[in-house]
Amino acid sequence: MSEKSVANQVITREDSSDPASAMMTAHSVLGAYQEIGKRFFDIIFAVAGLAMCAIPMVIVAFLVRRTSPGPAFFRQLRAGRGGKMFVMYKFRSMYIQAPEKANKDFTAEARTQYITRIGKFLRKTSIDELPQMINVLRGEMSFIGPRPLARTDETVLKLRAESGADRVRPGISGLAQVNGRNEISDEVKAKWDADYAQNCTLIEDLKIVVRTLSEVVKQRGINKIDIP
């Protein structure tokens, strides 16, 4: 074997054990899941979810309109990937007279005043989030990711931009939602968002799905102060 061939083999072996090369490979795999695999699963499950929930969603929409004046859906501009704003959909759970501000800024008394009767049930069961499968199908959201926030959540939006947490699509549920939801501070919420963006994998998403189902059943963290 020639000296050149031996040298090439040595270089190849050294490159394969290079920490920088290993890190680049890991980031490539992570990026492939975020850009291709994650989006593939989002489309499949959004189509399936909307098909299975179509009739229940029609019933919920009817009940929302029947029990209080106003539209069945609540539409609001939220910050998406890269800070780009999009219209997010939810079932309306509050009266149309309710002020537009962050959920954590509502007192227990205010929530009692503005949340409709059926709205309390929709929030406790997270059924109000089902229309966001439309946003997932449109590519504006993912099933798992940092929650899409309104402009009123300035602190978290700023921290996300600084940490790079806004480079992933926002989600219906996320790491912050299974670690306190609205019971944690803006700084802690932003930290969980950053952690997720740096470790977005299929395994991590599956763990969050399982924990989300558990949180919904236990009805924890819906508000900083639980609705009476």
Side-chain angles (χ1 to χ4, degrees):
M1 186 180 293
S2 65
E3 292 183 2
K4 184 176 181 180
S5 298
V6 173
N8 286 338
Q9 289 183 11
V10 171
I11 291 173
T12 301
R13 283 196 295 269
E14 288 179 348
D15 287 345
S16 64
S17 61
D18 180 19
S21 298
M23 185 175 294
M24 289 179 64
T25 301
H27 280 298
S28 297
V29 173
L30 185 64
Y33 172 68
Q34 289 183 1
E35 298 299 329
I36 302 174
K38 188 175 175 67
R39 183 63 189 141
F40 172 77
F41 288 123
D42 280 341
I43 293 173
I44 295 298
F45 287 112
V47 171
L50 287 169
M52 290 188 296
C53 297
I55 294 177
M57 287 175 67
V58 169
I59 295 173
V60 171
F62 171 77
L63 292 174
V64 169
R65 295 203 63 180
R66 182 74 175 176
T67 55
S68 65
F73 295 101
F74 170 73
R75 302 173 177 84
Q76 188 181 52
L77 281 175
R78 297 290 179 99
R81 194 176 190 181
K84 183 179 179 180
M85 304 303 290
F86 70 96
V87 178
M88 189 196 74
Y89 299 97
K90 297 179 69 172
F91 282 120
R92 181 174 57 83
S93 60
M94 304 182 81
Y95 292 105
I96 56 177
Q97 298 88 355
E100 190 170 317
K101 58 183 179 180
N103 183 67
K104 64 184 178 60
D105 293 332
F106 280 96
T107 64
E109 183 180 355
R111 280 194 291 272
T112 302
Q113 177 183 356
Y114 291 118
I115 293 181
T116 64
R117 287 178 298 169
I118 191 172
K120 292 180 181 180
F121 171 76
L122 296 179
R123 287 192 170 202
K124 285 186 176 182
T125 56
S126 293
I127 291 176
D128 62 324
E129 312 283 1
L130 289 180
Q132 288 164 46
M133 288 191 288
I134 298 171
N135 294 115
V136 173
L137 191 60
R138 292 170 58 173
E140 298 159 335
M141 290 179 62
S142 176
F143 277 99
I144 303 298
R147 281 295 294 165
L149 301 177
R151 290 193 179 101
T152 51
D153 292 288
E154 297 176 355
T155 302
V156 181
L157 290 176
K158 180 181 178 182
L159 292 172
R160 282 183 182 177
E162 292 173 353
S163 68
D166 62 348
R167 73 173 186 268
V168 298
R169 288 185 180 89
I172 296 178
S173 184
L175 199 54
Q177 279 59 56
V178 297
N179 283 285
R181 204 170 176 177
N182 290 319
E183 295 177 343
I184 57 178
S185 67
D186 288 344
E187 291 73 20
V188 173
K189 188 180 297 183
K191 179 185 179 300
W192 285 121
D193 293 339
D195 288 347
Y196 175 78
Q198 295 168 11
N199 300 282
C200 177
T201 64
L202 176 59
I203 297 299
E204 185 66 25
D205 280 357
L206 291 176
K207 288 179 180 178
I208 295 174
V209 169
V210 173
R211 293 181 63 185
T212 297
L213 294 175
S214 175
E215 292 296 307
V216 170
V217 170
K218 296 174 183 176
Q219 299 182 357
R220 293 191 307 196
I222 297 173
N223 294 295
K224 268 192 168 181
I225 304 173
D226 290 337
I227 300 172

